[in-house]
Amino acid sequence: MVSYVSVLLYGVGGIVMAGMALLVAFQEKLVYVPVLPGLTKSYPITPARLGLVYEDVWLRSLDGIRLHAWFIKLFPECRGPTILFFQENAGNIAHRLEMVRIMLQRLQYNVFMLSYRGYGASDGYPSQHGIINDAQAALDHLSQRTDIDTDRIVVFGRSLGGAVGSVLTKNNPDKVAALILENTFTSILDMAGVLLPFLKWFIGGPGTKGPKILNFLVRSPWSTIDIIGQVKQPILFLSGLQDEMVPPSHMQMLYAKAAAHNRQCILVEFPTGMHMDTWLSGGDHYWKTIQQFFEKHVPKTGYGIDSQRRAAAGRSTL
């Protein structure tokens, strides 16, 4: 007769094997969703439909992948500050245009919207390493433009975009003036247990319990919790407390980790905000929060990153 312990061991082994099979076969489809159910990969609308002045931008990532972006200007000759916006994991940049339209009106910033590889009109297939390269290509493009204020480039990432933006901001202290994160997770390792609870014992970040024996299978860990403490620029955390996808505790942990190393961090919570609509449910308070952050940390004096570098170079020659 098979003992109870043997049955238990077989059961645990079966769960582990099932988890391994799911991770190997479907993890990219869980993390990256370029096409929403019932829709196509192409853009349903362009910024022109909303009366926005924009430019189609084509870039090459470090590994040669061709990328598409929209650069939406406040007005044609605007040389002002620019938000480099990184979207969530599902859909494409066209699905964020209504929010961006209001963003332009309320914040008076240009907005650069990048399609990750495999999303929208961009070529390739999404991966963590590849998307990090894509983000760098977008920032390098903006930094080389002569028609914007390169002292005031702000990275804004929502959900997955926050993980992307955190890595980019950490890697570019001389190019990014500030970082905004909205409803971002601590890591995909932690999110695995949220989305697939039976995996919680086998996959997780540093703060989770269990042996975490399947962590090595995760190809896109996006461990923002390990990155955020290394970001030196000002950070604004925007958290919707009704987030049905990413537990709000993730944002609280990210803020705590960042604030332990960076005194220029602010966490603002929106009681009715859900994962995708915090900008909408937050209303006037949401936009005023960002405006105040910009006024304090991204001033209009022109004495920004490049200006400070030039001034420091000038002092060194005295």
Side-chain angles (χ1 to χ4, degrees):
M1 180 179 293
V2 179
S3 70
Y4 174 78
V5 173
S6 297
V7 171
L8 180 62
L9 290 175
Y10 278 120
V12 171
I15 292 174
V16 172
M17 293 302 295
M20 291 178 68
L22 282 171
L23 280 174
V24 171
F26 299 113
Q27 64 178 272
E28 271 78 21
K29 294 184 182 297
L30 293 172
V31 177
Y32 309 112
V33 189
V35 182
L36 292 170
L39 300 179
T40 64
K41 183 174 180 285
S42 60
Y43 304 127
I45 61 173
T46 70
R49 176 76 68 85
L50 301 181
L52 300 174
V53 176
Y54 79 104
E55 171 188 343
D56 278 303
V57 178
W58 295 95
L59 307 169
R60 288 284 178 184
S61 194
L62 182 63
D63 55 358
I65 295 296
R66 188 168 182 253
L67 307 171
H68 177 253
W70 284 328
F71 185 37
I72 306 175
K73 302 199 78 172
L74 185 60
F75 50 85
E77 303 303 320
C78 178
R79 294 180 57 84
T82 299
I83 291 171
L84 175 51
F85 180 77
F86 296 120
Q87 66 160 73
E88 307 89 330
N89 73 322
N92 60 52
I93 55 177
H95 301 125
R96 279 79 196 177
L97 279 174
E98 179 58 27
M99 185 275 293
V100 167
R101 181 182 68 82
I102 297 174
M103 178 183 285
L104 263 76
Q105 293 175 352
R106 296 299 302 263
L107 303 180
Q108 302 288 289
Y109 269 52
N110 304 314
V111 180
F112 191 94
M113 304 178 73
L114 173 70
S115 279
Y116 309 133
R117 60 184 59 207
Y119 283 70
S122 294
D123 295 339
Y125 299 92
S127 68
Q128 177 170 331
H129 179 72
I131 290 176
I132 289 172
N133 285 340
D134 299 347
Q136 188 65 55
L139 179 60
D140 290 345
H141 169 81
L142 282 176
S143 299
Q144 293 164 12
R145 293 185 72 116
T146 59
D147 61 341
I148 65 170
D149 183 351
T150 56
D151 284 6
R152 292 191 286 160
I153 297 174
V154 176
V155 169
F156 190 139
R158 179 182 293 144
S159 192
L160 171 66
V164 178
S166 296
V167 174
L168 184 69
T169 302
K170 188 266 289 186
N171 290 343
N172 294 271
D174 59 334
K175 294 181 180 178
V176 177
L179 172 65
I180 300 175
L181 300 185
E182 181 176 324
N183 296 335
T184 296
F185 45 78
T186 53
S187 72
I188 290 296
L189 297 173
D190 290 329
M191 284 300 298
V194 173
L195 299 176
L196 300 170
F198 71 92
L199 289 178
K200 184 163 51 177
W201 185 256
F202 305 103
I203 300 175
T208 57
K209 298 179 180 179
K212 296 175 282 192
I213 58 176
L214 299 184
N215 278 9
F216 75 98
L217 292 174
V218 179
R219 292 185 287 268
S220 293
W222 288 114
S223 191
T224 311
I225 194 70
D226 293 327
I227 296 295
I228 200 68
Q230 302 174 57
V231 173
K232 305 303 181 185
Q233 299 95 313
I235 311 173
L236 174 61
F237 297 83
L238 304 171
S239 177
L241 295 184
Q242 301 304 315
D243 193 326
E244 75 286 6
M245 182 68 67
V246 177
S249 60
H250 283 225
M251 285 290 284
Q252 294 163 3
M253 286 188 282
L254 289 173
Y255 168 73
K257 183 67 175 288
H261 305 274
N262 184 344
R263 300 183 64 181
Q264 302 180 94
C265 297
I266 305 169
L267 170 65
V268 180
E269 298 176 326
F270 298 88
T272 62
M274 299 180 72
H275 190 64
M276 298 289 287
D277 78 346
T278 299
W279 67 273
L280 188 60
S281 63
D284 193 54
H285 177 46
Y286 177 91
W287 297 111
K288 284 187 175 179
T289 295
I290 300 175
Q291 286 173 334
Q292 291 168 0
F293 176 75
F294 284 167
E295 289 168 2
K296 181 176 181 179
H297 296 291
V298 194
K300 298 180 181 180
T301 60
Y303 194 73
I305 295 171
D306 288 343
S307 300
Q308 291 176 30
R309 190 161 55 238
R310 289 191 294 268
R315 287 194 298 271
S316 67
T317 62
L318 294 179

